[in-house]
Amino acid sequence: MKGSAYDDVTIEQLLTMTSGVKWNEDYSDPNSDVSKFNFHVAEDGIDVTASYMRALERAHAPGTQFLYSTGETNLIGLLVSEATGKPLAEYLSEKIWQHIDAHQDASWLLGPTGHEISGCCIQATTRDFALFGDFIRNGAVVNGESIVPDGWFEKAVTAQVKLDEEGSGYGYQWWISANDIYQGKGIFGQAIYIDPNRSLVIAVNANWESASHRESSKSRARMFDYLTGLIDKE
C-alpha cells in the first residue's frame, strides 16, 4: 500500500473506520466502491483488495472522520492472513470455531484472487452465530486464557468514535450502543447483539428486501428492546 492514501493510516484507524480514505458504501449504487471492488481485476500477484484499495483517494486526514468501509474490513483480513501465514478460515477455525461447540461447519466465500472476503460472507447457522457471540461476551477465553491481549476487549467494545450524544459509537469493528451494548451488524438484517449486563446474546439471520432497510432496522431494534424488557421483568 506504499505510496497510496493509506500511507499514514494505522491499523487502529482501520479498525475504527477512521482512515480518512474516500469510500462509497451504497449497495443500491452499481458504481459504488462496495459494489465494484470484488469484481475488480487485480494486477498479477496482487490481492484484489490491496489492488483496489490502494487506488482510492484521500478525503480527510487520518483519524479525523468516521466513514464505514467494508473494504477496510477486507484489508484488515488481508493483514491478519499475511501476519499469521494462514488463510483466514483456517485461523478462525483454529482460534475460535473449534472452541465454541459449533453445531455445524461454516463456510466463507473467497474473492477472485483466492482470499476470504473478510468484510462479509461467512455462512453459519443462527445458533452458531449466537455461540460465537457468547464466546466474545465471555472474553474469548480458551483453556483459561483469552485469545486476545489484555485490554483488547475493553477498547474493542467501547466507543472509540462517538456517533451521537446518546452513547452510540464505533469500537474495533463493533457498533456500540448505550449501557455497554455492542453489536456486529451485517447487510440484509444479520446481527449479533451482545448485552453483557444482562448476560444476553441475540443472533439474527435475515433476508431484508435490500442490504440496508431503515424500517426493518427499526423493527429489529424494537425486537431487541422487547426481549431485553422481558428479561428485566423476570
Side-chain angles (χ1 to χ4, degrees), residues 69-109:
S69 168
T70 295
E72 292 188 348
T73 303
N74 281 26
L75 197 55
I76 291 166
L78 185 60
L79 291 173
V80 171
S81 185
E82 289 292 321
T84 60
K86 298 177 180 180
L88 284 178
E90 179 182 336
Y91 192 61
L92 173 66
S93 178
E94 174 188 309
K95 288 291 186 178
I96 297 176
W97 211 254
Q98 63 181 287
H99 300 292
I100 66 172
D101 296 324
H103 291 252
Q104 296 186 30
D105 290 339
S107 60
W108 202 338
L109 294 183

Side-chain angles (χ1 to χ4, degrees), residues 39-197:
F39 300 99
H40 174 69
V41 178
E43 306 92 321
D44 288 344
I46 303 295
D47 178 78
V48 66
T49 296
S51 175
Y52 189 91
M53 301 297 284
R54 69 182 184 178
L56 297 176
E57 299 176 356
R58 171 157 302 287
H60 305 283
T64 62
Q65 297 285 333
F66 172 83
L67 178 66
Y68 189 86
S69 168
T70 295
E72 292 188 348
T73 303
N74 281 26
L75 197 55
I76 291 166
L78 185 60
L79 291 173
V80 171
S81 185
E82 289 292 321
T84 60
K86 298 177 180 180
L88 284 178
E90 179 182 336
Y91 192 61
L92 173 66
S93 178
E94 174 188 309
K95 288 291 186 178
I96 297 176
W97 211 254
Q98 63 181 287
H99 300 292
I100 66 172
D101 296 324
H103 291 252
Q104 296 186 30
D105 290 339
S107 60
W108 202 338
L109 294 183
L110 303 180
T113 46
H115 290 92
E116 293 85 351
I117 306 174
S118 50
C120 73
C121 308
I122 295 177
Q123 291 84 45
T125 66
T126 308
R127 177 180 290 183
D128 287 343
F129 275 134
L131 288 170
F132 167 75
D134 205 44
F135 179 74
I136 298 300
R137 182 185 69 82
N138 286 300
V141 173
V142 175
N143 297 325
E145 293 187 5
S146 178
I147 64 172
V148 296
D150 289 344
W152 170 266
F153 277 120
E154 285 79 359
K155 286 189 173 183
V157 300
T158 300
Q160 303 300 316
V161 180
K162 292 184 178 180
L163 300 180
D164 61 31
E165 298 301 319
E166 306 300 320
S168 296
Y170 199 74
Y172 291 172
Q173 303 285 288
W174 292 97
W175 294 95
I176 313 301
S177 303
N179 302 315
D180 302 321
I181 294 167
Y182 53 99
Q183 299 181 55
K185 297 180 182 179
I187 58 174
F188 297 103
Q190 301 166 85
I192 300 175
Y193 175 99
I194 302 175
D195 183 343
N197 295 328

